[in-house]
Each structure stands twice: as structure tokens, then as C-alpha cells.
């Protein structure tokens, strides 16, 4: 096999941890039952496994197992939360508040609701990527039914002040949804302390399988109503019909269990690796850190580089490292990232950005190789730009 670039794109996805895969395998073959089959042992085994993951997820966010609704991932969970609330509460009001730096799986359902007549307020962010709570305060209206603010940003890693937002929403009896796809297993989450009513989760950003996620739906104080977006056999308390994907659910539970057990040590280790990378890269002039320096995910480093072309930069880095650029994280467009432009960057600087997503299987040696190659690439691009200008 040829040598492949060092994987540093852990916000896009992560490999399945061997321990997760081992837990999943028996549920493809031996324990293949349908968890909804209540009349025999095949169903009971599958149901027991599903129940265990429900308990792990609930414990991870201080919820109850009945409040976990399995979905195909965070995209579906966000759709169910936002469209489900809009449809269930439209008589109460038709105003929703969200943020400019949200994932497209939040912004696009909101834009869709706009076509149906809902009003959407999109809050700006400060230069460090955090929302301004006074802006949120000003955005509330009597007809506001939902606030959706992500826990951790997928591009710049910024952690929004969930507890403060939750408090403000609860005071006004407005439902608070958070997309925690990048946060689960990496930072402490507590739906009681943070007054969160809906929370989207996914497995594949924390070394679990792709295609499985969940929506936490608060059942008490207040009980959140959701209009189902997929109708059928009435699974998941009628909120999301479809036969449960037992092996993926088992993997999700195992992934969360491992992430929580290792959270403290891993946060420390990733913070050190990120610092090590930043210390080397920031020796160059004109290299800017995107996002708040402290209120961010341990494994996230996002930089913008002056004096280089974004496409040339990515091309230069590609042989050595698998990273993402500052163009929209969508396969169909090449617009500059809406997150980086929301920070106030010009289009050109937004393009000349690199997201390093450091994860469980990265080592210090890899970080040093990456830093050295990135510095050499940036220097050589700047030198050739200078030569071009001079000629
Ligand atoms: C990855 C991601 C999603 C989409 O999750 P899927 O499970 O891949 O559908 C949504 N929101 C954020 C913040 C993400 O990072």
C-alpha cells in the first residue's frame, strides 16, 4: 500500500475504534434480531443492546433513557428537532433564532421553514466566533418558539455558552436546541444544568460508525412536542419510525462509553498537541488563529494564512496531510466558508485557511511532520508569489 497522508480531519469523520467494531460485530450475525420483536429471544437480545446504548447516552448528558430518539445521524436529528418543533408549535409562534456559524444541517432546515412562512433571525458572531448574548436578548420576540445554537463548531471548534443561553430561553419558555455533534464525548454536557430541551448527537465524530445518531427530546419541565418527520411503525415513541439499526446503535454506545472514560486524559493530550502545532505555525508572520483561543475543542486548530492562494496552499499540503480548507464544507460548492466569513474575514483570507482536526490516533511525531511541511509550503508559496510580483 502506498503511504497515505497523515489524517488530521477528525471534524469530518473519524475511524471506527477497534473496540467499537468488536462490540458491533456479533449484532450483524448472531444477535441479528429486530429490537421491536417482542415475542422471542432474538428480539429480546437486540432490544437489550439498544436499551444499553440508550442508558449510556442518557447518562452521558444527564437525561433519561426514554428521552433518547435514535436517528441516522446529526443531520436527521437537527431536521427532526427544528422542523418537528416548527410543525408542533406554529400556532404559538413562527419565529426561530439561530446563528450564522451553524452547520448547514441547521441553517438549511431553517431556510426551508422560511419558505413556509416562518421568520428566522440569524445572529452574527463576534470576531472570536462566540455569540453576543446581548444580541440574543434583543432577538427574542413574543412569537419566538425555538433557539438553535450549536455546542461546538465543526470548523473553528468554538464552544458556545450553552448554560447562559439555556437560562435565557427557559426564562422565556422558549425551546432550546443544540447541535452537539462535535461536542458529545469531548466536553461535559448536562441537559439539566444547561437547560437544554433538544440535543442532536452523532457517533462518527467520536470513533463510532457512520449512519447513527440521536436526538435528546426533553420529556419533563417542559415536555417538548415534536411532529414526526418520518411516519411508519411508530418506533421511538412515534417520533421516528423505522427498524432500529442495532449494530450501529451498539457501536454508538461503545464509542460514547470510551470517549467519556478517556475524556479528561484525551482533552489534556489533544490540547498539548494543538499547542505544539500552533507554537510552530505561529512563528511565521501573517498566520492567524481562527476562533476563541481557549473556548474551543482541544483537537481543533483553524488558521488563516496571509499572502498565499487558498487552492495552492491546500494542494501543497495534500501529499503529507489530510486536512480541510476554508472553502464551504460542501461537496457541491466552492464558496468560501460561511463560518470564516462570519468572523469578518475577506473571501481571499477565508479561502487561505486550514482546519486541523487532531484526534485519538494522532501522535506527537505526526504533529511535528505536519508543522514542518506546512511551514515549508507556506514559505515557498510566499517566495514564489514574491518572484511573480517582481517579474
Ligand atoms: C458532522 C456534523 C453534522 C452532521 O452529522 P451527520 O451525523 O454526519 O449527519 C451536524 N452538525 C455538526 C456540527 C457536525 O459536525
Amino acid at each position: 500500500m502506498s503511504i497515505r497522508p497523515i489524517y488530521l480531519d477528525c471534524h469530518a469523520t473519524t475511524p471506527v475504534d477497534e473496540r467499537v467494531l468488536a462490540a458491533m460485530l456479533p449484532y450483524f450475525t448472531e444477535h441479528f434480531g429486530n429490537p421491536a420483536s417482542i415475542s422471542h429471544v432474538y428480539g429480546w437480545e437486540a432490544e437489550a443492546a439498544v436499551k444499553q446504548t440508550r442508558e449510556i447516552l442518557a447518562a452521558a448528558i444527564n437525561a433519561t433513557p426514554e428521552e433518547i430518539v435514535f436517528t441516522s445521524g446529526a443531520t436527521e436529528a437537527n431536521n427532526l428537532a427544528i422542523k418537528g418543533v416548527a410543525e408542533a408549535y406554529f400556532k404559538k409562534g413562527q419565529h426561530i433564532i439561530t446563528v450564522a456559524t451553524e452547520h448547514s444541517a441547521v441553517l438549511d432546515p431553517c431556510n426551508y421553514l422560511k419558505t413556509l412562512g416562518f421568520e428566522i433571525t440569524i445572529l452574527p458572531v463576534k470576531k472570536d466566533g462566540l455569540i453576543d448574548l446581548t444580541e440574543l436578548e434583543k432577538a427574542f420576540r413574543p412569537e419566538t418558539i425555538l433557539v438553535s445554537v450549536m455546542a461546538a463548531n465543526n470548523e473553528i471548534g468554538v464552544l458556545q455558552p450553552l448554560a447562559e443561553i439555556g437560562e435565557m430561553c427557559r426564562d422565556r419558555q422558549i425551546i432550546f436546541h443544540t447541535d452537539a455533534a462535535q461536542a458529545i464525548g469531548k466536553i461535559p454536557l448536562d441537559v439539566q444544568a444547561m437547560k437544554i430541551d433538544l440535543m442532536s448527537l452523532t457517533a462518527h465524530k467520536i470513533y463510532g460508525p457512520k449512519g447513527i445518531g440521536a436526538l435528546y427530546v426533553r420529556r419533563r419541565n417542559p415536555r417538548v412536542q415534536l411532529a414526526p418527520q418520518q411516519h411508519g411503525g411508530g418506533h421511538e415513541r412515534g417520533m421516528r419510525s423505522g427498524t432500529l439499526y442495532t449494530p450501529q446503535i451498539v457501536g454508538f454506545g461503545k464509542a460514547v462509553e470510551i470517549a467519556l472514560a478517556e475524556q479528561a486524559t484525551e482533552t489534556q493530550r489533544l490540547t498539548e498537541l494543538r499547542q505544539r502545532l500552533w507554537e510552530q505555525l505561529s512563528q511565521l508572520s501573517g498566520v492567524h488563529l481562527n476562533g476563541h483561543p481557549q473556548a474551543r475543542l482541544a483537537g481543533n486548530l483553524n488558521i488563516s494564512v496571509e499572502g498565499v492562494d487558498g487552492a495552492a496552499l491546500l494542494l501543497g499540503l495534500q501529499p503529507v496531510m489530510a486536512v480541510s480548507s476554508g472553502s464551504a464544507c460542501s461537496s457541491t460548492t466552492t464558496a468560501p466558508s460561511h463560518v470564516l466569513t462570519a468572523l469578518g474575514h475577506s473571501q481571499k483570507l477565508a479561502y487561505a485557511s486550514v482546519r486541523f482536526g487532531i484526534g485519538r490516533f494522532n501522535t506527537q511525531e505526526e504533529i511535528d511532520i505536519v508543522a514542518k511541511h506546512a511551514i515549508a509550503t507556506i514559505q515557498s508559496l510566499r517566495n514564489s508569489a514574491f518572484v511573480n510580483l517582481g517579474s
Side-chain angles (χ1 to χ4, degrees), residues 82 86 94-98 110 113 118-121 144-146:
I82 295 166
Q94 304 189 9
H95 178 237
I96 293 170
I97 301 172
T98 186
C110 287
L113 289 173
F118 284 82
E119 285 190 76
I120 315 292
T121 297
T144 308
I145 52 171
L146 177 69

Side-chain angles (χ1 to χ4, degrees), residues 11 72-75 78 103 105 150 152 154 179 181-182 202 204-205:
H11 303 299
S72 63
T75 299
N78 287 341
H103 193 275
M150 72 202 317
N154 48 296
D179 175 351
Q182 296 286 348
T202 192
H204 76 98
K205 312 281 173 75

